[in-house]
Amino acid sequence: LNGAILFPKTTLPLNIFEKRYISMVDYALSNKRLIGMIQTKGNGELFNVGCLGKISDYQKSEDGRILINLTGVTRFSILKEISSEKLYREFKVDYQNFKEDVENNQKVVDVVSLMEKAKIFFKRNGLLLNWREFDKLDYTQRINTLAMIAPITNEEKQKLLESISFKNKVDSLESIISFYLYETSS
């Protein structure tokens, strides 16, 4: 889905109404509830890294739509597309580079500077966020949520998704936000 990006330990609400995606969600609900989300580059080409999500909640509407909450589990790299008669695309993927996503050990990285800049950035863009509640999230959830909801380009979000280390993601996000803050102050 173009513009819909999922990060590990975040939740993305989706309104499913296209026949091919309804078919995919129905299949996922009857199996392990897992769906891979990946960005398109355009012309049907995909980025190489996406995020596996688990349907954590769903509701079927009377008009045939399915409302789901997709919770990010871990990132993956595409190995190859699988030929199939299904209405949606399927891929063989590899999770090897993203073991950190499912490990329980918290990476402690100094995020104070990033958080200060993020608050200014969100305020300048007229975006409200309950920072008190936000601060209750663990480090990974905070950074991934910021990366997912920040008013930055899809390409910048993709760069953050592809960051192998947590520190690299924090540094990249701070750099992106600093750039926008500099642009608006000039």
Side-chain angles (χ1 to χ4, degrees), residues 3-184:
I5 193 160
L6 180 67
F7 283 81
K9 294 189 173 191
T10 64
T11 300
L12 179 65
L14 294 169
N15 179 9
I16 309 299
F17 56 89
E18 285 185 51
K19 187 177 179 181
R20 62 184 169 155
Y21 295 131
I22 289 174
S23 174
M24 179 180 67
V25 169
D26 282 339
Y27 177 81
L29 287 171
S30 66
N31 287 284
K32 296 180 180 179
R33 296 182 168 222
L34 299 171
I35 295 174
M37 293 283 294
I38 195 154
Q39 290 293 297
T40 59
K41 292 181 183 178
N43 300 331
E45 275 190 68
L46 301 173
F47 283 99
N48 193 49
V49 175
C51 185
L52 181 68
K54 185 166 189 161
I55 299 172
S56 53
D57 187 33
Y58 75 95
Q59 184 176 17
K60 293 188 176 190
S61 66
E62 290 185 18
D63 63 2
R65 293 176 297 124
I66 305 173
L67 307 173
I68 66 171
N69 282 331
L70 196 60
T71 301
V73 178
T74 184
R75 294 167 291 164
F76 59 81
S77 298
I78 289 180
L79 296 176
K80 69 176 185 175
E81 187 160 2
I82 299 170
S83 293
S84 152
E85 296 296 317
K86 294 178 180 166
L87 298 174
Y88 51 91
R89 295 169 77 178
E90 291 184 298
F91 298 87
K92 181 173 180 161
V93 299
D94 179 50
Y95 303 99
Q96 200 64 29
N97 290 334
F98 306 106
K99 290 179 182 177
E100 182 178 285
D101 292 348
V102 292
E103 294 172 351
N104 286 331
N105 52 340
Q106 279 285 311
K107 305 288 188 253
V108 179
V109 175
D110 183 12
V111 296
V112 173
S113 175
L114 170 60
M115 290 302 151
E116 289 171 358
K117 290 175 183 174
K119 288 175 183 177
I120 295 166
F121 182 56
F122 273 61
K123 187 174 183 178
R124 282 193 188 167
N125 282 281
L127 300 171
L128 298 175
L129 186 62
N130 184 337
W131 293 100
R132 195 170 299 154
E133 287 299 313
F134 181 78
D135 288 339
K136 293 178 183 176
L137 300 174
D138 72 33
Y139 280 107
T140 304
Q141 288 174 309
R142 276 190 253 168
I143 299 308
N144 286 343
T145 299
L146 279 180
M148 192 168 93
I149 68 172
I152 59 178
T153 68
N154 288 341
E155 290 78 13
E156 289 164 329
K157 289 180 182 188
Q158 184 67 35
K159 177 184 176 183
L160 295 169
L161 184 69
E162 293 177 9
S163 298
I164 298 295
S165 77
F166 184 70
K167 181 172 180 1
N168 181 253
K169 188 184 302 178
V170 169
D171 292 344
S172 295
L173 182 55
E174 185 168 1
S175 175
I176 291 166
I177 289 174
S178 294
F179 171 78
Y180 283 108
L181 288 175
Y182 177 78
E183 286 288 306
T184 59

